[in-house]
Amino acid sequence: MQTFDAGVPLCRGIAHAALTATIPRAAEAAEKLRICLLDFLTCALESRDLPISVQAIRFATIEQGAAPVLGTAHRAPVPQAAFANAVMGHGLVREDMHTGSISHLGVVIMPTLLALAARRPVSGRDFIEAAILGYEAGGRFGRALITSEFARFFRPTGFAGPVAAAIAGSRMMGLSEEETASALSLAVNTLSGLNEWPATGSDEMFFHAGFAARNSVTSVELAALGARSSERVLDGAAGLFAAYRPGNPIPAITLFADDTPEILSVYNKPVPACNFAQTPCQVMLLLAREDGVRPGDVQAIRVRGTRAMVMYPGCDYAGPFGRILQAKMSIHFGVAAALAHGGVSEENYRRLDDPAIIQLAQKLTVEEGAEFTSAYPGRQGASVEVTLKDGTKRTRSLPDVVPATPEGVVQRFRDAASAILGGSKAAALEEAVSRLEKLDDVGVIAALTQS
């Protein structure tokens, strides 16, 4: 556990802790990091041809540079490559999830570090330590700032992500304590993202991660060049906590509290949908598979879950669905599609006007369950009660989301990478990630994704 003098500016204290920390449960954390990296690469490759990815790639490659753009033959300037790769990693809505901060940290940390690694050779060991520290700083900061009420308006990833990636990038690039504090402070000055997009399913959600990664790279590089930013940007009279949490005491942010790395609380999504739709969809599948519930028998569906689930924009929405992102955010659509199709996959979101899904979605209500809220964010449980047309009810619940297994993450990487890169290059990329801590230059990871 890393603590620091309460009189020290918060940015400086976090910087000191991040640069001097000894990572507890280091082997376990490194293995989790390896899985998160594979998952990020998979999502980026699978998303390569989506419209938002094509736009990001075209924007990033207006000028040539040193950093690989994943899954393409392009190299772009380092900040722009980080932008494009983050957008691609976010494209499926299947990125890793840190529930305590309601944030997707990996989709900002990974592209930031992979882009910075184009500047000079970086060892795999340094990459691992930096990424774990990034998850730690972003997770602890996010827990201190982000609440369900905050997330109604502001995009959590746009706030926790730059903090995570600025610390990770500073650690990996060998910045001093003063430089790291300035990189963090500069990144805090870029925190942004509003949660109006779920109402229409518009595209800015995907670009939030891109902005965060690009700004993180810029903050690290400016600090390394001598730029100095206020170390009181978090805890000053006009700092971030005073602005976004007025009237509340400035929180203590302790890295590795209880000697448990935040990365170990990250889970890899099993399905390509909003975090808050994951458990309800899994519960509905239990009802279909184990209780024999069929779409035509359903009179009403009641989903109960956490207050955070009910409050997050776009989750309690029954349609109409004009864009895929609206459907991926909606618990109504996700649960209805799970019952109608007997599973949850990208195919569920191909037809937004599917009558079977729309009819079921209109029968569904979402409400808070106090028992689930009290267990959150440590656990993210939900229940589904189905009232059948004969008046009987069927109810199932799960105390927490069931994440994708490491084996499942590896398999979907193999499937995607083989299809896009070819079998031999996919195998070489998987082998490089498997021996990540032994790599002399982690830049080989991004290079191996290039077509």
Side-chain angles (χ1 to χ4, degrees):
M1 179 170 64
Q2 291 287 316
T3 59
F4 47 86
D5 189 328
V8 173
L10 197 48
C11 272
R12 187 67 172 231
I14 294 171
H16 175 78
L19 297 183
T20 60
T22 298
I23 298 170
R25 301 169 66 179
E28 189 178 358
E31 185 57 33
K32 180 66 177 181
L33 185 278
R34 205 185 326 273
I35 291 298
C36 287
L37 175 58
L38 271 184
D39 211 19
F40 166 75
L41 293 172
T42 307
C43 291
L45 290 172
E46 288 189 57
S47 300
R48 180 189 60 178
D49 297 326
L50 295 178
I52 47 99
S53 297
V54 173
Q55 294 157 13
I57 293 167
R58 292 180 65 184
F59 167 73
T61 56
I62 291 173
E63 297 176 345
Q64 293 187 349
V69 178
L70 301 176
T72 77
H74 299 295
R75 286 180 177 260
V78 169
Q80 307 300 67
F83 174 85
N85 293 339
V87 172
M88 285 191 284
H90 208 13
L92 293 182
V93 197
R94 204 187 64 203
E95 57 291 299
D96 67 31
M97 179 72 197
H98 182 266
T99 307
S101 64
I102 322 179
S103 299
H104 308 296
L105 301 176
V107 80
V108 184
I109 293 170
M110 302 301 184
T112 297
L113 296 186
L114 290 173
L116 284 170
R119 290 293 193 208
R120 61 170 175 77
V122 172
S123 74
R125 187 174 299 279
D126 286 345
F127 179 94
I128 291 170
E129 291 181 352
I132 293 170
L133 262 297
Y135 277 97
E136 188 67 24
R140 298 294 173 185
F141 168 79
R143 288 183 189 274
L145 175 69
I146 297 162
T147 64
S148 299
E149 291 77 12
F150 181 98
R152 288 183 62 193
F153 301 101
F154 303 109
R155 182 79 196 286
T157 299
F159 283 74
V163 169
I167 288 296
S170 296
R171 170 91 175 214
M172 189 181 78
M173 300 305 285
L175 270 60
S176 69
E177 184 178 306
E178 182 182 21
E179 291 168 340
T180 300
S182 283
L184 174 57
S185 178
L186 288 167
V188 169
N189 275 279
T190 73
L191 305 187
S192 65
L194 294 168
N195 266 344
E196 179 60 23
W197 54 272
T200 58
S202 52
D203 293 335
E204 66 264 36
M205 183 208 80
F206 301 108
F207 299 122
H208 288 159
F211 297 149
R214 184 181 64 185
N215 288 336
S216 299
V217 166
T218 303
S219 297
V220 170
E221 297 205 308
L222 282 173
L225 291 170
R228 291 297 173 264
S229 185
S230 171
E231 294 185 0
R232 290 287 184 190
V233 73
L234 289 173
D235 53 349
L240 180 131
F241 282 102
Y244 286 97
R245 298 292 302 277
N248 290 284
I250 302 299
I253 296 178
T254 302
L255 304 191
F256 301 116
D258 304 319
D259 291 329
T260 301
E262 285 289 335
I263 194 172
L264 297 182
S265 67
V266 168
Y267 82 90
N268 300 94
K269 286 184 181 178
V271 300
C274 172
N275 165 63
F276 294 114
Q278 303 283 321
T279 314
C281 288
Q282 292 177 336
V283 177
M284 177 52 83
L285 290 177
L286 286 177
L287 285 163
R289 294 168 181 172
E290 298 184 13
D291 292 85
V293 172
R294 298 291 176 263
D297 300 331
V298 173
Q299 180 67 37
I301 303 170
R302 182 175 70 142
V303 174
R304 297 172 67 252
T306 66
R307 185 165 184 264
M309 178 193 81
V310 175
M311 292 185 66
Y312 201 83
C315 290
D316 187 4
Y317 180 67
F321 301 98
R323 297 177 68 114
I324 289 176
L325 192 51
Q326 285 177 302
K328 288 194 171 189
M329 293 302 299
S330 169
I331 292 168
H332 300 253
F333 191 99
V335 169
L339 178 57
H341 291 297
V344 184
S345 70
E346 191 70 19
E347 292 301 314
N348 287 21
Y349 302 95
R350 297 298 187 199
R351 186 180 174 189
L352 301 182
D353 62 349
D354 184 330
I357 295 175
I358 299 305
Q359 289 172 15
L360 287 168
Q362 294 297 321
K363 297 177 180 180
L364 190 147
T365 58
V366 173
E367 63 184 58
E368 179 184 358
E371 70 275 29
F372 299 123
T373 296
S374 65
Y376 180 86
R379 292 184 296 172
Q380 191 165 265
S383 68
V384 178
E385 177 189 86
V386 176
T387 302
L388 303 178
K389 291 179 178 177
D390 64 7
T392 60
K393 298 180 185 292
R394 300 287 187 274
T395 304
R396 286 272 184 167
S397 67
L398 284 171
D400 199 3
V401 64
V402 179
T405 64
E407 295 77 15
V409 171
V410 171
Q411 188 57 56
R412 64 193 187 194
F413 166 80
R414 290 171 178 168
D415 293 342
S418 296
I420 295 167
L421 303 175
S424 60
K425 187 170 281 190
L429 181 56
E430 181 181 348
E431 196 269 340
V433 174
S434 73
R435 59 182 185 88
L436 184 59
E437 68 278 359
K438 297 180 181 178
L439 293 180
D440 294 326
D441 184 3
V442 79
V444 70
I445 299 292
L448 280 169
T449 73
Q450 294 217 281
S451 59

